[in-house]
Amino acid sequence: MNAKYSGQCLCGEISYSVDIEPVFTGNCHCKDCQRSSGSAFIPAMIFPEKDVVISGEVKYFESRADSGNMHKRGFCPNCGSQLFARFSNMPGILGIKAGTLNDSSNYVPKLDFHVDSAAPWDFMNPELPKKQEAAQS
Amino acid sequence: MQGKCLCGLIEFEIVGVVPKLYQCHCSLCRKQGGASSNAAAIIGKAHFRWVSGQEHISSWIKDTGFRSDFCSNCGSPVPNPLRSTPYYWVPAGLLEGDVQLAVRAHLFVGSKASWDVITSPGKQYETMPDLSELLRPDGDA
Ligand SMILES: [Zn+2]
Ligand SMILES: [Zn+2]
Ligand SMILES: [Zn+2]
Ligand SMILES: [Zn+2]
């Protein structure tokens, strides 16, 4: 029962596993991702929601992105780890934040996006393609 | 310089100093924000002030002393007093405005994620230096 991707929060109350490859991987540098991670960007893996098995009670916070779409961010209410994302313009899709993976080497980003909102101190991997705006537009 | 969590309930400010940033690439800091590392500043208590929302802070402390303080409404990591020191730990992603900050140090590069490519300047430490070294006025390489 070794899933391709598995991870958990700091305290272990929430864990997840996925046994397929992500449909997209990339680093989001938007200001909301900076606020919710406290850091420079969020490394995101996108999966069909039905393929992700989650155990534990996730708390979601909803906010409006600059695009106008609603964005729900899921975190552990016990330890604060940021784990998941859902998007109103992509129903049935779940984002997983790669920092929570048990094996960090499983994440391979394909793109840096929202780079025009990146912090001045955010230095990126020059070898990844860059996109000013959202990943899918 | 102002800072706030994603939902805006928790606000704080830093006065009288320009924060110097460090990034810790350890697995705990990765899990806290879901990112490749954290990004934070160590700010003397005299330069840090809460503006609003302290009552919304939840706190989780690991037996090793690692501490995660976060907004109970939106989950953003928020500042917390740094153990028994006269300093606050302040997450850089919450800071507002276009002040030119720089990353001066990278901690725990020995345990960073394989896809985490460090291109920013700043001294790299395999694990963690003494707090005094991190706080040195010209602590960058
Ligand atoms: Zn947790
Ligand atoms: Zn984002
Ligand atoms: Zn908040
Ligand atoms: Zn760390």
Side-chain angles (χ1 to χ4, degrees):
Chain A
M1 257 285 299
N2 264 337
K4 281 189 172 131
Y5 298 90
S6 66
Q8 64 173 45
C9 64
L10 279 169
C11 75
E13 283 196 7
I14 296 171
S15 60
Y16 61 82
S17 63
V18 201
D19 212 14
I20 60 162
E21 294 301 328
V23 296
F24 170 80
T25 56
N27 302 326
C28 183
H29 299 258
C30 81
K31 186 60 198 171
D32 281 358
C33 283
Q34 294 173 40
R35 289 193 185 106
S36 85
S37 67
S39 190
F41 64 89
I42 283 180
M45 301 183 293
I46 302 295
F47 293 97
E49 193 174 353
K50 63 175 175 42
D51 295 306
V52 184
V53 180
I54 297 175
S55 90
E57 205 63 45
V58 181
K59 178 165 179 178
Y60 279 90
F61 171 74
E62 188 170 44
S63 61
R64 187 177 297 279
D66 291 344
S67 60
N69 296 315
M70 297 310 286
H71 190 158
K72 282 185 175 171
R73 293 165 189 274
F75 62 98
C76 172
N78 184 50
C79 70
S81 278
Q82 295 280 345
L83 297 130
F84 305 117
R86 293 168 199 270
F87 316 90
S88 64
N89 59 325
M90 290 188 273
I93 286 294
L94 184 78
I96 296 181
K97 301 180 179 179
T100 62
L101 283 170
N102 291 332
D103 180 354
S104 69
S105 66
N106 277 349
Y107 174 67
V108 184
K110 297 284 180 351
L111 180 70
D112 281 303
F113 58 102
H114 280 304
V115 297
D116 54 351
S117 321
W121 44 269
D122 175 7
F123 284 67
M124 304 172 205
N125 178 353
E127 282 165 24
L128 285 183
K130 304 286 179 276
K131 208 156 172 229
Q132 302 259 300
E133 303 294 336
Q136 77 276 18
S137 64
Chain B
M1 166 163 233
Q2 313 289 313
K4 63 176 185 196
C5 65
L6 180 59
C7 75
L9 280 177
I10 297 170
E11 295 176 286
F12 58 91
E13 63 184 15
I14 295 171
V15 285
V17 283
V18 176
K20 287 186 297 217
L21 309 184
Y22 78 92
Q23 293 189 281
C24 180
H25 302 257
C26 84
S27 66
L28 294 173
C29 290
R30 293 205 298 270
K31 288 206 161 169
Q32 184 180 24
S36 56
S37 67
N38 70 5
I42 310 288
I43 302 291
K45 283 192 167 152
H47 299 288
F48 178 88
R49 198 171 70 83
W50 291 108
V51 174
S52 69
Q54 262 188 288
E55 67 275 19
H56 298 289
I57 299 175
S58 292
S59 194
W60 178 80
I61 302 174
K62 195 176 161 66
D63 47 15
T64 58
F66 179 90
R67 176 166 172 170
S68 163
D69 277 21
F70 57 99
C71 171
S72 57
N73 183 50
C74 71
S76 285
V78 297
N80 65 67
L82 194 65
R83 305 197 185 190
S84 55
T85 69
Y87 296 95
Y88 270 87
W89 176 89
V90 179
L94 274 65
L95 297 172
E96 302 287 317
D98 271 334
V99 185
Q100 292 292 317
L101 305 179
V103 175
R104 303 299 188 90
H106 293 275
L107 315 190
F108 284 102
V109 297
S111 47
K112 76 177 181 65
S114 55
W115 51 271
D116 177 10
V117 180
I118 300 174
T119 51
S120 67
K123 193 163 175 185
Q124 299 193 12
Y125 299 90
E126 271 302 289
T127 58
M128 201 171 102
D130 277 354
L131 187 60
S132 59
E133 177 155 354
L134 212 51
L135 292 169
R136 251 196 344 219
D138 294 295
D140 50 333

